Amino acid sequence: MYTTCAFCNGKLDGDGGPSGLGVGRRLAFDEWKGRLWVICPKCSRWNLAPLEERWEKVEALGRAAREGRVAAATAQVALIRWRAYDLVQVGKPPRLEFATWRYGERLKARRREQMKFVLPLTVAALGVAVAVNVAAGGSFGVFVWNMPTFARSIYTGMVGRRRIELVEPPVCERCGTVLLLRARQVARARLTATQQADLALLLTCPTCGSEAAMLTGPDAAAALRRGLTYLNLARGGRQRAADAARLVEAAGGPDRLIRTVARSELTLRSLAPDRRLALEMAVDEQAEVAALERQWKDAEEIADIADGLLSSDAELERHLRRLKEDTDQPDG
Ligand SMILES: [Zn+2]
Ligand SMILES: [Zn+2]
């Protein structure tokens, strides 16, 4: 029985619950391999549970996970909320209904955020309009009627002006303009495929109009997410979570969808609305669980060593060296 993190010595929170360990609020488990980790709330490292009592606890977690709600998932990892717990289920593919559910939640959250702005502004403007109406004795009915649309367009403009923070602002290769990116400028960018990067975004220069610079990795993901959020607000069209989920699924998952869009060579603003929403969901989802998946792979390697699955000393030696290198360079 352990109550503190093996890496940082921090206290592992928890009240027993489904783990039966007496520790852990964030628990990762693999039903097929019978593995269980307690994720430290302080340093996020994965603590492998002792082998002896693992199986029944993993079974209990599996039952809890089926009652819980999937917050995000990759092909290998699903983050599930269950009561006060975060359950990280690894090694099992997600289902389409999960995808539909979480895309729907995201759309609802976006509408709620939008209404927080649109509603007060509309109410305030209505008050002004009524006062003006009374004072002027005339009819401003048309103005009042259009108010929600007007407020919504102010909100959309605000989202479009949001700055995209990059490690280093790109410079146009042709005219030398420094591109201080705002969300709405990403509308003219397009995805492209490169050998090295999973995600590459070609930016158009606002000064000379040529394709100016290429963003890759986290920069590309950040710009793409901001740009797509703006575009999907500004040119939403029909937006249904189920359609987006189906498009991602039909493409063969988020990675494939992103590659297909890259091959089409279309700018983001010329994509069909439902496809653009699907792309946003795919990019978002990838970013959210990619970190979790990286952590799992490291934890899995340690578990292999701890459970004695590696066959030779030489193999064990190699893994330990690699893990040490990873720890020495956390960003590399
Ligand atoms: Zn820790
Ligand atoms: Zn330029």
Side-chain angles (χ1 to χ4, degrees):
M1 182 85 72
Y2 54 95
T3 55
T4 55
C5 172
F7 301 94
C8 74
N9 239 354
K11 202 171 158 358
L12 299 169
D13 195 15
D15 58 8
S19 72
L21 285 170
V23 289
R25 285 263 176 227
R26 205 168 160 90
L27 300 152
F29 68 102
D30 184 333
E31 277 190 290
W32 304 109
K33 289 190 180 171
R35 281 199 176 140
L36 172 63
W37 296 267
V38 179
I39 302 175
C40 173
K42 204 166 138 203
C43 72
S44 305
R45 305 286 267 281
W46 293 34
N47 290 272
L48 187 66
L51 191 61
E52 312 84 59
E53 310 151 42
R54 238 185 258 162
W55 277 106
E56 53 187 284
K57 283 159 192 163
V58 167
E59 257 174 50
L61 283 172
R63 279 194 298 275
R66 280 184 283 280
E67 281 174 24
R69 303 215 284 174
V70 176
T74 63
Q76 304 259 44
V77 177
L79 173 63
I80 297 156
R81 313 258 189 232
W82 181 79
R83 299 186 192 169
Y85 295 88
D86 284 349
L87 308 179
V88 181
Q89 189 169 28
V90 297
K92 241 181 151 185
R95 299 260 181 283
L96 179 60
E97 58 264 33
F98 290 161
T100 305
W101 176 82
R102 66 179 183 269
Y103 294 174
E105 285 300 300
R106 227 188 99 74
L107 281 182
K108 268 187 250 162
R110 176 184 295 168
R111 272 183 211 126
R112 273 197 300 273
E113 195 204 332
Q114 189 180 351
M115 285 322 283
K116 258 187 249 160
F117 180 89
V118 172
L119 220 55
L121 189 63
T122 305
V123 169
L126 273 174
V128 174
V130 169
V132 169
N133 238 347
V134 170
S139 172
F140 285 83
V142 174
F143 175 67
V144 172
W145 183 254
N146 284 327
M147 210 39 225
T149 318
F150 179 61
R152 202 166 282 140
S153 78
I154 291 177
Y155 176 78
T156 305
M158 218 172 67
V159 172
R161 279 190 299 278
R162 275 183 195 156
R163 278 283 294 279
I164 297 166
E165 302 296 340
L166 302 176
V167 179
E168 208 177 321
V171 177
C172 174
E173 281 167 10
R174 182 173 298 177
C175 73
T177 302
V178 178
L179 305 176
L180 297 168
L181 268 192
R182 291 182 192 279
R184 63 167 186 268
Q185 287 161 350
V186 182
R188 294 171 71 200
R190 67 180 174 90
L191 277 179
T192 188
T194 68
Q195 295 255 300
Q196 300 81 22
D198 299 335
L199 197 63
L201 194 63
L202 268 174
L203 299 172
T204 302
C205 173
T207 310
C208 72
S210 67
E211 283 189 337
M214 191 196 286
L215 297 180
T216 55
D219 275 356
L224 194 57
R225 289 168 81 185
R226 278 287 169 86
L228 286 170
T229 302
Y230 163 70
L231 270 171
N232 285 331
L233 261 176
R235 310 174 173 217
R238 147 188 104 103
Q239 284 191 346
R240 287 178 46 210
D243 293 340
R246 215 166 283 126
L247 277 175
V248 176
E249 201 75 7
D255 293 326
R256 292 250 180 100
L257 180 88
I258 291 167
R259 274 205 296 275
T260 311
V261 173
R263 270 199 304 273
S264 77
E265 298 195 348
L266 291 169
T267 58
L268 298 179
R269 64 176 176 182
S270 36
L271 291 172
D274 54 348
R275 204 168 165 72
R276 200 162 47 215
L277 181 66
L279 180 64
E280 186 189 346
M281 299 299 180
V283 174
D284 235 53
E285 177 164 79
Q286 249 186 349
E288 206 176 336
V289 276
L292 215 44
E293 198 162 43
R294 276 197 299 277
Q295 290 169 359
W296 167 54
K297 285 195 177 129
D298 283 350
E300 183 79 353
E301 237 174 295
I302 295 169
D304 278 344
I305 294 166
D307 292 358
L309 290 184
L310 297 179
S311 51
S312 71
D313 283 355
E315 202 180 344
L316 181 65
E317 203 52 41
R318 243 193 341 272
H319 272 77
L320 285 173
R321 204 175 313 127
R322 213 188 66 68
L323 282 169
K324 190 180 175 303
E325 279 162 14
D326 284 358
T327 320
D328 290 347
Q329 305 155 311
D331 300 326

